[in-house]
Amino acid sequence: MRHFHLIAVLAAATALLPAAEPVSYFEDVRPVLQVHCSGCHQPANKMSNLDITEYAGIVRGGAKHGNSVIQGAPENSPLVSLVTGKMEPRMPMGGAALPAEAIELLTRWIREGAEDDTPAEAKAPQAPSEPPQYRQAPTITGLAYSPDGSLLAVGGFQEILLHKSDGSGIEARLLGRSDKIHSLDFSTDGKRLVAVGGTPARFGELQVWNLDSGKQERSVTATSDTLFAGDLSPDGTRAVFGAADKSVRVVEVASGEELFKAGHHEDWVLQAVFGIDGKRIVSVSRDRAAKLADAGTGAFLENVNFLRDKLYAVARHPRRDYVIVGGEDRVPYLYTMDRPRALKIADDSTLIRKFEEQDGTIFALAFSPDGSRVAVGGVSATVNVYDTESGDRVATCKGHDGGIFVIAFHPDGGQLATGGFDGVVRVYEAESGNEVKAFVPVPVESAESAADSKRAG
Ligand code: HEC
């Protein structure tokens, strides 16, 4: 009898609830999903491509059933069918069924319209509507010249600034939601700009910009941390990038669809590039490895090499399948992606040339458009330019006040632009190392920073 009594009380309580208050997604539903489901359905581990940690992800649903919630119709919602076991496999997969009250809560929330009452401050941020105001110049981690050489794109804070490449002014400010941009790539026709970045400890994002309209065509978020430097395939259809979750990912630019996620590294993957025909990828990581993978499937092909220290940068030769890598051991290494003979892994048969040791960790590498020069920068605050063939140093570019994080050659090969910790863009002549121009790429408000930019310019 006691038992019966308990059931009766529960039933009565349940019956009373609807009259009392509608179910809240944020207060009631989200915590249930967080506890029982998010282990397998979150940005870093999206089983069946379902992210259950955000309202939009729940509605969007997974790979198999599509929308997991049909507003007003719990009986047609896969989310409910899967937790009740009406549909197989019952969720949580392999675990105990949800308590009846939790199932009732989900059911009722959907019947009541499955509304999203997430408070604005708890949502993933939207792009700002006004350009940010700067007290000081932000660290520069993204730089790219447009293919015709007329523009220099610079990653700012929550925006990309399109400068006239002679440094004479800003053409456009592209506002996006990522705090940081870690790489920028123009499509070869100059119509699109692809940016990879994110907001540390929040989300990673790939942005696709249409430069005719000045509008963002696509924002693809991935992982719960920023994404690291990437590359656009030679035909502009795919983008590759590394991530803090140790993955290398390839995304189709037109659809934003993630084509694959490869997990061959054991630590953050800081940069990835396509081979010359877009069929292979080389990635470098803090795990000290440079790895070669199939760009179609993500399948691991081989280790280009394992080095003594963490690797931070990789650049591909513009005309052949050579890559230069660098990092903590300060030496730039030039490798071929095609191992000449079938030898043991971790041998040096892919090494073409070592360049001279730098005065600090290497963060940035870039080839000139014809591949005859390669530029190396990093903690030393100088950029050294080398002859790729001979390994001889051609020029040294000085003037930065702090580490250099990015280098870009102008398409005519005569100049290169650099950026880094001090927030100043400097343009040098590649053959002499002479500085041509220096400018702070963002409008800065305060007096000290004005002095800074004067010193810089
Ligand atoms: C242990 C891992 C795991 C847990 C925990 C888990 N799931 Fe799943 N979930 C999966 C897998 C794997 C699939 C794909 C199953 C299949 O169809 O083969 C899946 C599929 C789904 C789908 C269908 C997605 C689609 O493809 O359309 C939904 C909806 C879903 N789960 C909801 C939940 C809910 C709600 C919970 C918590 C109550 C939960 N899952 C907990 C692993 C899990």
Side-chain angles (χ1 to χ4, degrees):
M1 279 310 271
R2 274 186 71 84
H3 199 96
F4 169 78
H5 184 69
L6 190 64
I7 290 169
V9 168
L10 270 175
T14 314
L16 277 173
L17 274 170
E21 238 184 290
V23 176
S24 154
Y25 162 69
F26 194 73
E27 299 295 337
D28 307 322
V29 170
R30 197 179 52 99
V32 170
L33 302 180
Q34 194 77 41
V35 171
H36 298 281
C37 322
S38 63
C40 300
H41 299 294
Q42 47 148 316
N45 182 23
K46 268 199 312 199
M47 288 201 180
S48 211
N49 205 31
L50 173 68
D51 174 6
I52 218 156
T53 60
E54 267 188 4
Y55 176 82
I58 298 167
V59 174
R60 195 186 319 120
K64 201 159 169 187
H65 304 291
N67 308 24
S68 65
V69 158
I70 310 294
Q71 289 170 328
E75 62 285 1
N76 298 330
S77 298
L79 183 86
V80 172
S81 307
L82 282 162
V83 295
T84 55
K86 196 172 115 192
M87 225 149 81
E88 298 270 310
R90 187 182 50 67
M91 295 293 141
M93 187 140 148
L98 289 187
E101 309 86 82
I103 295 179
E104 173 58 21
L105 202 68
L106 296 175
T107 306
R108 203 150 64 75
W109 171 61
I110 296 172
R111 188 180 302 124
E112 288 167 3
E115 276 176 44
D116 178 17
D117 60 350
T118 309
E121 63 275 15
K123 287 188 186 171
Q126 299 302 300
S129 50
E130 294 290 319
Q133 305 214 323
Y134 295 91
R135 287 268 159 69
Q136 60 183 55
T139 295
I140 299 167
T141 50
L143 274 181
Y145 282 101
S146 59
D148 67 359
S150 66
L151 295 173
L152 178 63
V154 185
F157 175 81
Q158 297 183 347
E159 67 170 329
I160 300 160
L161 300 105
L162 295 181
H163 279 264
K164 294 194 180 93
S165 65
D166 62 4
S168 64
I170 296 173
E171 288 266 298
R173 300 176 74 172
L174 310 176
L175 309 184
R177 53 187 180 158
S178 285
D179 283 4
K180 292 221 62 86
I181 302 293
H182 282 131
S183 70
L184 289 165
D185 278 286
F186 283 89
S187 58
T188 41
D189 61 8
K191 289 185 191 298
R192 287 207 169 74
L193 179 64
V194 173
V196 175
T199 296
R202 297 281 313 275
F203 64 93
E205 186 191 23
L206 176 112
Q207 301 172 352
V208 181
W209 293 89
N210 180 321
L211 296 176
D212 289 334
S213 66
K215 295 233 156 64
Q216 196 178 85
E217 281 183 340
R218 200 160 290 287
S219 156
V220 181
T221 49
T223 84
S224 45
D225 210 327
T226 60
L227 305 175
F228 298 118
D231 189 22
L232 204 53
S233 62
D235 63 3
T237 58
R238 291 160 298 147
V240 64
F241 50 82
D245 70 355
K246 308 172 190 173
S247 69
V248 172
R249 295 170 191 237
V250 168
V251 167
E252 186 176 64
V253 171
S255 65
E257 190 191 333
E258 186 174 295
L259 300 177
F260 65 80
K261 170 174 119 181
H264 312 310
H265 283 286
E266 284 159 23
D267 205 332
W268 292 13
V269 179
L270 289 155
Q271 194 159 18
V273 292
F274 281 101
I276 201 125
D277 59 3
K279 291 188 176 152
R280 294 182 294 176
I281 290 163
V282 176
S283 52
V284 296
S285 159
R286 297 205 303 198
D287 69 6
R288 305 179 295 126
K291 291 184 185 263
L292 187 68
D294 184 299
T297 62
F300 173 71
L301 297 174
E302 66 171 325
N303 288 316
V304 178
N305 217 342
F306 262 109
L307 288 156
R308 281 173 299 172
D309 280 310
K310 294 171 184 159
L311 285 173
Y312 293 128
V314 56
R316 198 205 71 238
H317 190 290
R319 297 195 177 161
R320 51 204 307 187
D321 274 337
Y322 283 2
V323 287
I324 187 159
V325 306
E328 231 169 44
D329 86 351
R330 306 175 173 200
V331 177
Y333 298 88
L334 181 67
Y335 290 108
T336 167
M337 288 164 61
D338 299 294
R339 192 173 288 280
R341 319 177 284 281
L343 285 177
K344 289 183 257 79
I345 52 161
D347 69 6
D348 251 355
S349 63
T350 50
L351 183 67
I352 307 257
R353 183 165 298 105
K354 274 192 202 182
F355 292 81
E356 74 180 324
E357 184 173 328
Q358 308 295 299
D359 289 337
T361 295
I362 297 166
F363 287 134
L365 294 162
F367 280 103
S368 64
D370 66 0
S372 66
R373 298 284 181 265
V374 63
V376 183
V379 168
S380 70
T382 56
V383 171
N384 288 322
V385 181
Y386 297 93
D387 182 300
T388 313
E389 278 297 312
S390 67
D392 294 339
R393 177 150 29 110
V394 175
T396 297
C397 312
K398 294 188 173 159
H400 276 289
D401 190 7
I404 288 154
F405 299 141
V406 63
I407 305 171
F409 271 89
H410 189 278
D412 74 12
Q415 298 184 344
L416 54 88
T418 58
F421 181 78
D422 64 8
V424 179
V425 172
R426 289 178 191 276
V427 180
Y428 301 94
E429 275 172 8
E431 293 303 303
S432 66
N434 290 339
E435 188 175 292
V436 180
K437 178 100 188 169
F439 60 97
V440 173
V442 300
V444 178
E445 314 279 293
S446 78
E448 310 101 87
S449 309
D452 273 348
S453 60
K454 210 161 154 198
R455 179 155 55 87

